[in-house]
Amino acid sequence: MDFLSLLLCFLFSWTLVQALLSIKRGSRTSAGRLPPGPTPLPIIGNLLKLGNKPHKSLAELAKNHGPIMTLRLGQITTVVISSSTMAREILQKQDLSFSNRFIPDALLAHNHGLFSVAWIPVSTRWRNLRKIMSSHLFSGQRLDAKQQLRSQKVKELMAYIHKSCQAGAAVDVGRAAFRTTLNLISNTIFSADLTDTSSDTAQEFKELVWGIMEEAGKPNLADYFPVLRKFDPLGIRCRLTIHFEKMIGIFNHMINQRLELRRLQGCITRNDVLDTLLNISESNPNEIDQVHIDHMLVDLFAAGTDTTSSTLEWAMAEILHNPKTLLKAKAELDQILGKGSPVEESDIARLPYLQAIVKETFRLHPAVPFLIPRKVDANVEVCGYTVPKDAQVLVNAWAIGRDPSIWTNPNSFMPERFLGTEIDVRGHDFEIIPFGGGRRICPGLPLAIRMVHLMMGSLINSFDWKLEDGVAPEDMNMEEKFGITLQKAQPLRAVPVHV
């Protein structure tokens, strides 16, 4: 209601201006045949069609208007992609035309959208930053070298859960996974934990990350009516600026400490990601400078921690909601590794049912329901339709994962559907695209895949689980909370039991 009230208030004030601009914009886009879509209302267009869970609302609209659909969201022409065929067209066949980003006003907070590798246009700068991430953060060689670190962090997670098990206390699964992922990333980059199990730092950082994701995912009048951007009418950019300043402040403190150490004679470098970035910056500042390092770290910590922990929480929720699936997973682990044995990354290839559970989780609960929005810089023809210049393009990964023309019983959790198939999540099979595809596929995919499987297998094989307060599996709350990422509305709390 708050959003609608503000919406009506601002629309009343700007009616005349928007009418003139809508007429002007309509004359520019009338040259091509737009994809079909619902009839827009004057001024506000199709804004009221979004609802509080746009991924579901737009999936329903696509059933009537097709897999490529046009909406008018205020002044902005938006094209929504809701099928694997159309996603392949956008993300693979015409990838270059759709490679630039539509930057939400909120992401201009602290100039993040102007420096972040996730948002800047495809350019020499973007290629340099992606190359640095691919070579020094997420290459197979770099990840193999850090395998022992990941194993150690998962052991620390198991030790924490073991204490809860002894006390008969419930574990907040998402929070525990977040802390583990946070410390893994911070050790990879800074060679230090950002938190420990006895402090509230992880929860504070999680709240900071979720604040960023929640604010960035909110409907924003400034995105629908760009003339309002200078006013930040809902205060979203202002609040995000505060969040970004806090996070970058944490990073700058650690960077400054490292720079001081590097200035000391005889200091031994740690050869971690931060040293690598500083070395590149000092030898060739045109490739990356301090500002780009700050915003790269925001991307790594905000996106990497939230998406990985959310995926693990959904996976655990689904197998507790479907006890037969949990029994099958435990039987596979028992047969291959032995009950209670530690799980190593090298074991994952021998655990097809565990892999199927993770794929099914990505299908039903993609961490990012809409891929990061794209923008076309010129009219582009797609399957006989024209996507007009400056249009926002949204790929509804959530809808594609539940497309009944592809998936049998699409709303049911059935890992068995992936057994004996080659369908994967690495951007080649467009039926399931939690990480996107094409040249702007998520660079952190290789690390996320390793971490989710390793933590998931360890949680299943090391403990039995029961829901807190005796809740029955069929009574679990499986509702979603919408933001840039898709969270469980009610955090999963479960009691570990010795196997």
Side-chain angles (χ1 to χ4, degrees):
M1 289 299 296
D2 288 344
F3 172 68
L4 289 177
S5 300
L6 285 167
L7 175 64
L8 293 174
C9 177
F10 279 104
L11 289 175
F12 180 79
S13 303
W14 288 92
T15 295
L16 181 59
V17 175
Q18 301 314 319
L20 293 173
L21 289 172
S22 296
I23 293 171
K24 181 178 179 181
R25 185 173 180 82
S27 66
R28 292 202 305 266
T29 60
S30 60
R33 180 187 174 211
L34 294 176
T39 302
L41 296 172
I43 313 302
I44 65 173
N46 305 112
L47 276 177
L48 299 181
K49 298 283 188 182
L50 292 180
N52 63 355
K53 294 180 179 176
H55 57 298
K56 293 186 176 182
S57 303
L58 297 188
E60 284 298 314
L61 285 174
K63 292 178 181 178
N64 295 322
H65 300 286
I68 179 169
M69 173 176 65
T70 302
L71 287 87
R72 288 294 303 277
L73 303 180
Q75 287 179 261
I76 304 300
T77 299
T78 299
V79 174
V80 182
I81 303 300
S82 304
S83 77
S84 59
T85 302
M86 286 298 174
R88 184 182 299 276
E89 188 74 27
I90 298 297
L91 302 178
Q92 185 182 76
K93 295 181 180 178
Q94 300 198 56
D95 180 40
L96 184 59
S97 297
F98 289 89
S99 285
N100 287 336
R101 299 300 196 192
F102 186 96
I103 304 177
D105 181 68
L107 270 299
L108 294 176
H110 215 286
N111 291 323
H112 185 65
L114 304 180
F115 294 102
S116 159
V117 67
W119 295 97
I120 62 175
V122 171
S123 59
T124 300
R125 170 71 75 179
W126 176 80
R127 292 185 187 92
N128 286 338
L129 293 174
R130 281 287 298 214
K131 182 179 178 182
I132 289 170
M133 296 180 80
S134 299
S135 301
H136 300 292
L137 275 74
F138 302 120
S139 68
Q141 183 179 8
R142 170 69 76 164
L143 291 177
D144 288 344
K146 293 293 183 179
Q147 183 171 330
Q148 188 59 40
L149 172 61
R150 291 190 293 278
S151 178
Q152 178 59 36
K153 292 303 160 188
V154 171
K155 287 178 181 176
E156 291 172 10
L157 171 63
M158 294 302 104
Y160 166 72
I161 294 176
H162 178 71
K163 289 182 180 179
S164 297
C165 180
Q166 289 182 316
V171 172
D172 185 320
V173 174
R175 183 184 297 185
F178 182 93
R179 180 171 54 243
T180 299
T181 308
L182 172 62
N183 281 338
L184 169 68
I185 293 176
S186 66
N187 268 276
T188 301
I189 295 173
F190 300 123
S191 298
D193 285 348
L194 277 184
T195 185
D196 59 60
T197 57
S198 62
S199 76
D200 294 326
T201 311
Q203 181 60 16
E204 292 169 3
F205 202 91
K206 182 175 175 61
E207 290 171 358
L208 181 59
V209 169
W210 176 244
I212 290 173
M213 296 298 186
E214 189 173 35
E215 293 294 344
K218 284 180 179 177
N220 191 351
L221 287 174
D223 291 329
Y224 308 135
F225 303 104
V227 292
L228 298 178
R229 285 195 167 200
K230 65 180 69 175
F231 303 111
D232 187 23
L234 302 183
I236 293 174
R237 187 174 0 105
C238 178
R239 291 191 293 274
L240 260 182
T241 298
I242 295 171
H243 291 326
F244 282 143
E245 286 176 348
K246 287 181 180 178
M247 187 172 284
I248 290 174
I250 294 171
F251 300 149
N252 282 342
H253 175 70
M254 302 189 80
I255 290 171
N256 290 335
Q257 284 185 326
R258 181 65 58 84
L259 289 172
E260 280 296 320
L261 285 174
R262 287 163 66 96
R263 280 192 282 267
L264 296 176
Q265 287 188 350
C267 175
I268 300 174
T269 61
R270 302 188 182 185
N271 197 30
D272 54 17
V273 169
L274 181 56
D275 266 340
T276 300
L277 294 177
L278 293 175
N279 289 340
I280 296 172
S281 178
E282 289 172 1
S283 62
N284 191 352
N286 290 327
E287 285 195 37
I288 191 168
D289 58 23
Q290 176 72 49
V291 175
H292 286 95
I293 290 175
D294 287 343
H295 290 277
M296 181 182 287
L297 295 179
V298 169
D299 287 338
L300 291 172
F301 277 90
T305 53
D306 191 60
T307 54
T308 301
S309 59
S310 175
T311 298
L312 184 74
E313 183 177 22
W314 276 116
M316 287 295 293
E318 286 289 2
I319 64 172
L320 291 176
H321 191 51
N322 298 274
K324 290 182 179 179
T325 300
L326 177 56
L327 289 175
K328 288 182 181 180
K330 292 181 81 67
E332 179 184 68
L333 285 158
D334 187 13
Q335 180 182 355
I336 302 299
L337 303 180
K339 184 177 294 185
S341 298
V343 180
E344 301 293 342
E345 288 183 15
S346 57
D347 299 322
I348 302 303
R350 299 186 291 146
L351 300 168
Y353 196 68
L354 178 67
Q355 294 178 55
I357 289 174
V358 173
K359 288 180 184 178
E360 182 71 341
T361 303
F362 279 130
R363 182 188 71 83
L364 270 182
H365 307 287
V368 182
F370 293 109
L371 302 186
I372 296 178
R374 300 187 177 218
K375 174 185 173 183
V376 290
D377 297 323
N379 288 358
V380 181
E381 184 174 331
V382 177
C383 299
Y385 298 110
T386 297
V387 179
K389 178 182 178 182
D390 295 329
Q392 174 181 219
V393 180
L394 295 177
V395 178
N396 192 341
W398 185 91
I400 293 170
R402 297 179 185 237
D403 185 345
S405 69
I406 299 173
W407 308 104
T408 303
N409 298 322
N411 294 318
S412 298
F413 189 79
M414 297 167 51
E416 292 77 8
R417 73 176 81 242
F418 287 105
L419 296 177
T421 72
E422 297 298 322
I423 294 178
D424 204 357
V425 300
R426 299 176 188 270
H428 305 296
D429 302 298
F430 290 85
E431 298 88 348
I432 175 171
I433 48 172
F435 297 95
R439 71 193 66 212
R440 299 209 78 149
I441 192 169
C442 174
L445 182 157
L447 176 59
I449 291 291
R450 295 188 186 213
M451 279 302 294
V452 171
H453 285 93
L454 183 59
M455 287 194 289
M456 186 73 182
S458 298
L459 289 173
I460 295 173
N461 205 40
S462 299
F463 302 95
D464 290 327
W465 294 87
K466 61 182 181 180
L467 295 169
E468 189 178 34
D469 298 327
V471 174
E474 61 271 19
D475 295 330
M476 288 178 65
N477 183 339
M478 299 295 283
E479 287 298 309
E480 304 163 337
K481 181 169 67 171
F482 181 81
I484 280 189
T485 56
L486 205 58
Q487 304 279 325
K488 275 191 94 275
Q490 180 178 315
L492 174 63
R493 293 183 58 82
V495 180
V497 180
H498 283 300
V499 294

